[in-house]
Amino acid sequence: MDFEIDAEELIWKSEYNIGNLQIDKEHQQLFNIARKAFNVNKLQDEKTKLQELKSIITELFEYVGQHFNDEQKLMERIKYPHLKEHKKLHSQMIDMLKKIIKDFNTLEIAQIEKKLFLFIDDYFVKHIILEDKKIQLWQTPLDELRKNFGWKHVYSVNNSKIDQEHKQLFDIAKEAFKTVDDKDRNKKIKSILVELYDYMKTHFSDEETYMQEVNYPELQNHKKIHKGIISELNSFVKELPNLKPEVFEKELAIIIDLTLVQHIIQEDRKIIRWQQSKS
């Protein structure tokens, strides 16, 4: 099979919690189902493997549908501003599973595994870890975000230049989280955004050069993620005139925490694991 999900990504970590006991338990159960799919790949008997895959896909479809319903009710209760976009993502993922189920009997085992693992990668890695974390950050008071935000050794990619640039992100974040008078707010906003753009332009270029030097096989995918982050910041800037000051600060905190810090945790960490696997 030419596509394999990293087993490390299917291990539940406390950092994935969104602060709602029911939703967090459901997310953990989804991780359990995903690990079943990962283990099926190790089976040798094709008939048994096919039966297990069908069972897992059916279980995923049923569980995901209920989970999405519960999650949407939570977002409605807290008046989450991105509910509409989040519902669209849920709908797209349900359609992905429906397509796998519809085509199941006409696909080779390797094709079924590939489609299932692509779904797991898209849902568990990108949706739970990134999109659902936004719900938690939206509910978290800014004072708490300020208190808990900071560089951690786990973010290290074992390259002093890249690590130093990652640390600069946290310096920018500290400035973004500082309270200022209303009269200085616009000045602060412009300053932070200029710093973020400059940071990303320099850092992404250096990081891509480093990946090229070590022949990192996911370089092109990583470049696409960098472009996506720039695009998200551009969209945020366009929305600025319509945002209230307190909403701006919360949305900026989400961008810094998720789009950039989670990028370090999830994507840049893959570089470390790849280098470790080589040695």
Side-chain angles (χ1 to χ4, degrees):
M1 187 175 59
D2 58 2
F3 178 88
E4 290 189 12
I5 195 166
D6 193 330
E8 176 71 18
E9 292 169 353
L10 299 180
I11 297 173
W12 179 264
K13 301 178 179 68
S14 60
E15 65 201 47
Y16 301 160
N17 286 323
I18 71 164
N20 179 280
L21 186 60
Q22 179 184 0
I23 301 301
D24 288 335
K25 281 186 175 179
E26 290 178 5
H27 281 164
Q28 290 180 52
Q29 178 58 21
L30 285 165
F31 267 64
N32 291 337
I33 298 172
R35 279 198 301 275
K36 287 185 192 177
F38 182 84
N39 290 326
V40 164
N41 183 44
K42 301 172 185 176
L43 296 175
Q44 298 299 317
D45 182 71
E46 289 197 359
K47 185 177 180 181
T48 303
K49 183 183 283 191
L50 203 60
Q51 290 173 341
E52 288 296 317
L53 283 171
K54 191 168 188 177
S55 173
I56 287 167
I57 292 168
T58 302
E59 185 179 6
L60 258 182
F61 182 75
E62 292 173 353
Y63 200 87
V64 163
Q66 180 58 51
H67 168 64
F68 285 170
N69 184 55
D70 293 339
E71 195 170 78
Q72 287 168 19
K73 286 179 180 177
L74 168 66
M75 289 187 284
E76 287 169 357
R77 283 201 307 272
I78 66 173
K79 295 181 171 55
Y80 183 59
H82 304 297
L83 173 60
K84 184 178 179 181
E85 295 91 332
H86 206 106
K87 279 185 173 180
K88 187 176 180 180
L89 288 173
H90 285 173
S91 178
Q92 289 170 349
M93 282 184 281
I94 290 291
D95 288 344
M96 284 176 67
L97 275 177
K98 283 182 177 178
K99 185 73 165 60
I100 297 174
I101 292 170
K102 180 183 177 183
D103 298 340
F104 190 90
N105 292 327
T106 63
L107 296 172
E108 299 291 333
I109 289 180
Q111 293 174 307
I112 296 169
E113 288 181 307
K114 182 175 180 178
K115 288 178 180 291
L116 178 58
F117 284 174
L118 282 170
F119 171 82
I120 289 172
D121 182 58
D122 194 56
Y123 180 68
F124 296 92
V125 179
K126 297 181 179 67
H127 187 81
I128 291 179
I129 296 172
L130 297 180
E131 292 301 324
D132 288 359
K133 281 289 285 185
K134 291 179 182 178
I135 301 171
Q136 178 206 21
L137 290 170
W138 178 256
Q139 298 178 89
T140 306
L142 272 172
D143 285 344
E144 191 173 333
L145 288 176
R146 294 186 187 106
K147 182 176 66 176
N148 295 328
F149 200 86
W151 171 264
K152 299 176 180 67
H153 180 69
V154 71
Y155 300 157
S156 174
V157 298
N158 297 330
N159 178 281
S160 57
K161 183 177 182 180
I162 301 300
D163 284 343
Q164 188 57 44
E165 290 179 2
H166 283 162
K167 290 175 184 178
Q168 289 174 14
L169 169 62
F170 291 88
D171 293 334
I172 297 172
K174 287 176 183 176
E175 289 299 316
F177 291 151
K178 282 183 179 177
T179 303
V180 297
D181 294 334
D182 289 343
K183 61 183 177 63
D184 297 322
R185 193 181 296 270
N186 286 337
K187 184 179 178 181
K188 169 193 168 182
I189 290 172
K190 289 179 182 178
S191 173
I192 294 300
L193 291 174
V194 168
E195 280 192 86
L196 269 179
Y197 271 116
D198 288 344
Y199 164 84
M200 287 190 288
K201 182 179 178 181
T202 301
H203 171 62
F204 288 170
S205 175
D206 289 342
E207 192 171 78
E208 288 166 12
T209 298
Y210 170 65
M211 287 187 287
Q212 195 164 6
E213 288 172 353
V214 299
N215 296 316
Y216 183 56
E218 296 297 320
L219 171 62
Q220 294 307 316
N221 288 335
H222 207 105
K223 281 185 175 181
K224 288 179 183 177
I225 293 169
H226 286 170
K227 288 181 180 178
I229 292 173
I230 296 290
S231 176
E232 184 166 347
L233 188 58
N234 286 335
S235 298
F236 174 65
V237 170
K238 289 177 182 177
E239 287 295 315
L240 275 179
N242 304 318
L243 296 180
K244 295 179 180 179
E246 62 274 15
V247 175
F248 160 79
E249 291 185 338
K250 181 60 70 74
E251 292 287 357
L252 181 60
I254 289 172
I255 285 178
I256 292 174
D257 190 302
L258 275 177
T259 309
L260 296 175
V261 176
Q262 292 297 327
H263 170 73
I264 294 172
I265 294 172
Q266 301 303 328
E267 296 302 324
D268 293 356
R269 193 184 274 170
K270 290 179 182 178
I271 303 172
I272 305 173
R273 293 203 294 268
W274 175 75
Q275 289 177 311
Q276 288 173 340
S277 70
K278 282 182 62 183
S279 60

